[in-house]
Amino acid sequence: MCGIVGIVAQRPVNQALYDALTVLQHRGQDAAGIVTWSDDGLHVRKSNGLVRDVFHQRHMLRLKGNVGMGHIRYPTAGSAQSAEAQPFYVNSPYGICLAHNGNLTNHDELAGLLIREDRRHLSTGSDSEVLLNVFAHELQHRCNGQPSPEQIFDAIEAVHRRCKGGYAVVAMIIGYGIVAFRDPNGIRPLVIGRRHAEDGDEFAVASESVALDALQFELLRDVLPGEAIFFENSGAMHSREYSGKTRYAPCIFEFVYFARPDSIVDGLSVYKSRLRMGEQLAGQIVREWPDHDIDVVIPIPDTSRTAAVQVAYHLGAKYREGFIKNRYIGRTFIMPGQAERAHSVRRKLNAIDLEFRGKNVLLVDDSIVRGTTSKQIIRLAREAGARKVYFASAAPPVRYPNVYGIDMPAASELIANGRSVEEIREIIGADRLIFQDLRGLIRSVRHNDSEIREFDTSCFSGEYVTEDVSTEYLQALERQRSDAAKSQRDQSDDNDDDDSADRVVFASVVEDDADAAINM
């Protein structure tokens, strides 16, 4: 999962891009990058690390211009020390920078075609670079001079025909403007904002509406599935809906875990969705366990708080904050590697003994993915003196890989894959385990008046909306992107410093002085 933002303004955008990325930091903590354009050229700063660590005053002063884009990343593919920080750049045609959120399911096929037939060079294993080169190739075939909005939109239609999977994209055509588009299934989110300025309107696109809120942009709407948007440097906005087949099926896991609760995604309130998840979950607990002996409901901070409040209310039980979170530890689900996730739990959470001692406790979490965190937290609750520890998930069991940009590609790493609820309960050590059912989750997220009629629920149901995900593909994905594979790549990088340095330079330099180079 990643976060993207692009801005065309009447004033310098460096601070606005920084602020937007900071607000989107929950979507990735591995790397960050900003690219801006001014009359004296292109300016870039990108590196591994959090936004606050990547950008210092000297970097911000060099990011000049009224047009720019940014990206924050965690490694769905690649290693934790990856040199594949975005945005990526190609110099033909015009010079194009691109960043994206999601995953191409036909990445390997496309990469081969780009090299063999389109005669384009790829310097990384990132599907974002593949997307960039597909777009650049299609645009080059349609433009001889200044690109028109129609030529840009034709190129994006060709991208949709060639690329499969889930993706939300922001790209900057150097000297002309910002382009944004979304996959024809609308899997990954993308919103448009506008702000009135003295010299004209300013526009922004971002992964979530909270980024627009922070910049005081008005949320106009979501980018539709397959739709393309072009913001000229002058401030003019153009759009075109995709002429091919579309299907509005946003990823439901955005509402379960990834999106911030104060975001509006595809016209749906994340906060209200999580409130309803709690209501639905409470109803399920009452149906399955009408004579429950729960004394207190305690959320596992932070994502599950909203649902846990409703669970407690509808069960007539006390709601208490039983865990104190160290806010300087990253989100464990998106940490690279199982060992790192397990090690971080005790550094991240500390139990308040008073709320556990001698009580039957219901712990509420948003979901259970690998089960490592759940097992550790249940152990913490027992050590704090809980008499019994029950566990409830606001989402159904995660049994299948997510192939559209969320880091759960290996079925063998999912605790629910091939296991019953009772088997999962035994592994995590709970006295009782309750999962939300899928129908309840869908009801929770979808408002009655929503235009959304379906969601990508593939990690729960095993049904993939792109209809191109085979057993062979999933097996190959597991070999490439499991924690074991990533660990092996990390070890290889550590043992080959010279090659690693070459890759860093070749992938458009990410060291401290990289931003001083105008030409990437």
Side-chain angles (χ1 to χ4, degrees):
M1 188 61 59
C2 301
I4 58 176
V5 60
I7 302 175
V8 173
Q10 309 297 327
R11 68 193 87 176
V13 296
N14 53 353
Q15 186 64 52
L17 290 168
Y18 177 92
D19 292 342
L21 292 184
T22 301
V23 171
L24 295 173
Q25 185 75 84
H26 59 284
R27 299 185 69 86
Q29 302 163 10
D30 177 59
I34 291 177
V35 174
T36 62
W37 179 83
S38 64
D39 290 339
D40 59 350
L42 195 64
H43 314 277
V44 57
R45 167 62 181 167
K46 56 181 182 174
S47 185
N48 290 327
L50 300 174
V51 174
R52 69 185 181 214
D53 299 323
V54 170
F55 303 101
H56 300 153
Q57 185 176 15
R58 67 182 185 275
H59 307 127
M60 298 299 292
L61 291 173
R62 295 168 183 165
L63 293 169
K64 298 180 290 184
N66 298 349
V67 180
M69 56 182 289
H71 181 266
I72 53 100
R73 173 187 187 268
Y74 88 92
T76 307
S79 69
Q81 302 300 321
S82 174
E84 298 172 1
Q86 298 181 36
F88 286 118
Y89 171 82
V90 291
N91 62 9
S92 177
Y94 311 111
I96 301 173
C97 297
L98 181 143
H100 111 283
N101 170 32
N103 182 60
L104 300 183
T105 54
N106 63 337
H107 165 269
D108 292 342
E109 176 189 351
L110 278 174
L113 289 173
L114 282 168
I115 294 169
R116 292 192 309 272
E117 298 182 11
D118 296 348
R119 299 292 188 265
R120 300 195 73 90
H121 178 77
L122 300 177
S123 58
T124 73
S126 171
D127 55 351
S128 300
E129 189 186 17
V130 168
L131 254 172
L132 169 59
N133 278 275
V134 171
F135 177 53
H137 176 79
E138 297 299 337
L139 188 61
Q140 190 166 28
H141 272 265
R142 289 164 172 80
C143 300
N144 293 318
Q146 177 174 333
S148 68
E150 291 307 308
Q151 290 171 324
I152 293 170
F153 294 150
D154 287 344
I156 293 171
E157 292 237 348
V159 170
H160 289 325
R161 289 193 293 270
R162 295 183 66 177
C163 296
K164 299 177 182 178
Y167 50 90
V169 176
V170 61
M172 180 165 60
I173 304 175
I174 308 304
Y176 296 101
I178 293 284
V179 177
F181 56 93
R182 193 176 180 190
D183 67 84
N185 295 293
I187 298 172
R188 299 267 66 91
L190 194 61
V191 297
I192 309 169
R194 178 178 60 196
R195 182 172 64 188
H196 298 297
E198 291 182 4
D199 299 328
D201 286 342
E202 300 176 330
F203 290 96
V205 291
S207 294
E208 293 184 35
S209 64
V210 287
L212 305 180
D213 296 340
L215 305 180
Q216 296 185 302
F217 276 75
E218 171 196 3
L219 173 62
L220 289 182
R221 60 180 179 86
D222 297 270
V223 177
L224 297 173
E227 185 182 20
I229 310 291
F230 176 49
F231 304 108
E232 295 186 48
N233 287 346
S234 63
M237 172 180 165
H238 309 271
S239 66
R240 184 207 280 182
E241 293 187 25
Y242 182 42
S243 63
K245 180 182 177 182
T246 61
R247 180 180 179 182
Y248 213 152
C251 175
I252 204 165
F253 210 73
E254 289 279 352
F255 299 88
V256 171
Y257 177 79
F258 268 107
R260 271 185 33 163
D262 44 343
S263 279
I264 305 294
V265 177
D266 290 303
L268 302 170
S269 166
V270 176
Y271 176 73
K272 288 186 177 180
S273 296
R274 290 177 185 168
L275 282 176
R276 286 191 289 267
M277 287 179 206
E279 295 170 1
Q280 293 285 332
L281 182 57
Q284 188 160 335
I285 292 171
V286 170
R287 290 192 299 273
E288 293 183 12
W289 191 15
D291 56 345
H292 71 81
D293 59 351
I294 298 167
D295 296 319
V296 61
V297 176
I298 294 177
I300 297 171
D302 285 318
T303 321
S304 63
R305 278 198 175 101
T306 309
V309 168
Q310 292 297 91
V311 170
Y313 175 79
H314 288 282
L315 292 182
K318 293 179 181 178
Y319 171 88
R320 291 290 186 270
E321 292 286 342
F323 294 106
I324 299 301
K325 181 179 179 182
N326 180 351
R327 300 189 179 279
Y328 302 97
I329 299 292
R331 300 178 88 179
T332 54
F333 170 65
I334 60 176
M335 282 185 171
Q338 188 81 330
E340 180 65 16
R341 282 187 290 271
H343 180 60
S344 72
V345 173
R346 285 184 177 270
R347 290 182 290 144
K348 179 179 180 180
L349 296 177
N350 189 47
I352 302 174
D353 289 13
L354 178 66
E355 300 298 347
F356 290 92
R357 194 157 303 281
K359 298 176 183 177
N360 296 336
V361 178
L362 174 66
L363 301 180
V364 177
D365 206 352
D366 53 79
S367 59
I368 302 174
V369 180
R370 293 170 173 87
T372 307
T373 301
S374 305
K375 185 175 182 178
Q376 296 269 340
I377 288 173
I378 290 169
R379 186 177 300 163
L380 283 176
R382 293 198 188 282
E383 290 173 358
R387 185 166 59 240
K388 291 185 178 179
V389 181
Y390 309 124
F391 204 98
S393 168
V398 177
R399 300 189 185 278
Y400 305 94
N402 183 289
V403 301
Y404 301 126
I406 296 178
D407 190 22
M408 47 174 88
S412 62
E413 294 170 1
L414 304 175
I415 191 171
N417 182 261
R419 294 189 177 99
S420 67
V421 173
E422 179 60 21
E423 288 171 329
I424 301 168
R425 183 199 66 76
E426 289 181 1
I427 292 172
I428 65 175
D431 292 300
R432 191 171 189 126
L433 176 61
I434 300 108
F435 283 99
Q436 176 94 271
D437 65 49
L438 184 55
R439 287 182 297 178
L441 177 62
I442 293 172
R443 282 196 300 270
S444 300
V445 177
R446 183 161 64 92
H447 303 184
N448 291 334
D449 58 350
S450 171
E451 295 181 3
I452 309 300
R453 292 291 175 264
E454 61 178 326
F455 296 90
D456 168 56
T457 62
S458 54
C459 59
F460 305 120
S461 64
E463 298 174 1
Y464 296 91
V465 298
T466 54
E467 300 177 351
D468 64 333
V469 178
S470 64
T471 301
E472 292 74 21
Y473 173 80
L474 293 176
Q475 291 171 345
L477 197 67
E478 178 159 354
R479 289 193 297 270
Q480 295 168 4
R481 298 186 179 180
S482 66
D483 281 343
K486 289 179 183 178
S487 177
Q488 187 174 10
R489 283 193 293 272
D490 285 343
Q491 186 66 35
S492 176
D493 289 346
D494 290 341
N495 292 335
D496 199 353
D497 291 340
D498 290 340
D499 287 349
S500 179
D502 290 343
R503 280 197 300 275
V504 169
V505 172
F506 207 55
S508 298
V509 203
V510 296
E511 299 299 333
D512 267 354
D513 293 332
D515 49 302
I518 300 300
N519 297 316
M520 298 172 68

